Amino acid sequence: TTTDVEAIQNSLWQTNRVTELKYVSKEDALEIYRERNKNNPVLLELVTANILPSSLEIATISPQDLTPIVEIIRKEPVIEEVVYPEDVVKTLASAARVIRVVGISAVSFLLLFAILAVLMIVGFKIRVQRTEIETMKLLGASKWFIRSPYLLEGIFYGFIGVLISWIFTYGIMWYVSPFIQNALGELRLLPAPPLAMLAILGVEVLLSLIVGGIGSYAAVRRYLRL
């Protein structure tokens, strides 16, 4: 009943482990069934809303929150069955931990490599343009006037690198998401929400500005003697 559904939803919200609750009525279940089997008319015969169950779809903050939520749900007398792909969730959680460790290690190495790359590129340009720098000094150019183009150039390299890599990565994710999602079945993890990808881009841009700035500043400090 509606009262049962509201009571269960309230108890789940109070755990502070749930991010989304969606009630699927018998009529909604019939629409979902028809959509999934629209290419097989035989399966649509004699199927009505009365023979399909209503359900409650639950999303949690993290995979670790699923087990306590399942325990709460199983104690409810009006719940007939709990569908919980425990093995799949455990596999995904283990894979996420490995990816996190490998990702942090790879990002740390790439950050150091990016700083060194910017340092070498900007340092090489400073050496090549030594004559122009000496001319500007003789004409009375300030230290900031001479240094600023190299500092901005390093920041620009970082920004362009991040933008290209983000577009490339998002394109690959967009292409492979349908194949991965088919393998995951009912677990809706992909495609990644556009807002989340934009947030990642914002963090990457900020980090690129810092990395490019550090690399170019180190090059200016080492190679540009004013």
Side-chain angles (χ1 to χ4, degrees), residues 100-172:
R100 188 176 295 113
V101 173
V102 173
I104 291 175
S105 302
V107 168
S108 301
F109 170 78
L110 291 175
L111 286 176
L112 179 60
F113 181 81
I115 292 175
L116 293 176
V118 172
L119 189 153
M120 288 188 293
I121 293 173
V122 176
F124 177 77
K125 293 199 68 174
I126 291 175
R127 288 184 175 183
V128 171
Q129 297 175 349
R130 191 181 301 272
T131 303
E132 289 86 346
I133 294 172
E134 292 296 331
T135 302
M136 286 191 289
K137 289 171 58 178
L138 292 174
L139 293 175
S142 65
K143 293 182 179 180
W144 171 248
F145 182 84
I146 299 174
R147 289 173 175 173
S148 58
Y150 298 107
L151 295 174
L152 294 175
E153 184 175 355
I155 294 174
F156 177 76
Y157 289 150
F159 174 75
I160 292 299
V162 161
L163 189 61
I164 294 174
S165 63
W166 182 86
I167 294 174
F168 180 74
T169 303
Y170 198 13
I172 292 178

Side-chain angles (χ1 to χ4, degrees), residues 3 8 11 13 16 28 31 40 47 53 66 83 89 113 136 138 149 154 172 180 183 186 190 197 201 208-209 215:
T3 304
I8 294 173
S11 64
W13 283 123
N16 295 323
D28 295 332
E31 292 298 323
N40 195 342
V47 176
L66 286 171
V83 179
V89 172
F113 181 81
M136 286 191 289
L138 292 174
I172 292 178
I180 299 177
E186 296 295 327
L190 295 172
M197 293 301 298
L201 176 61
S208 72
L209 299 181

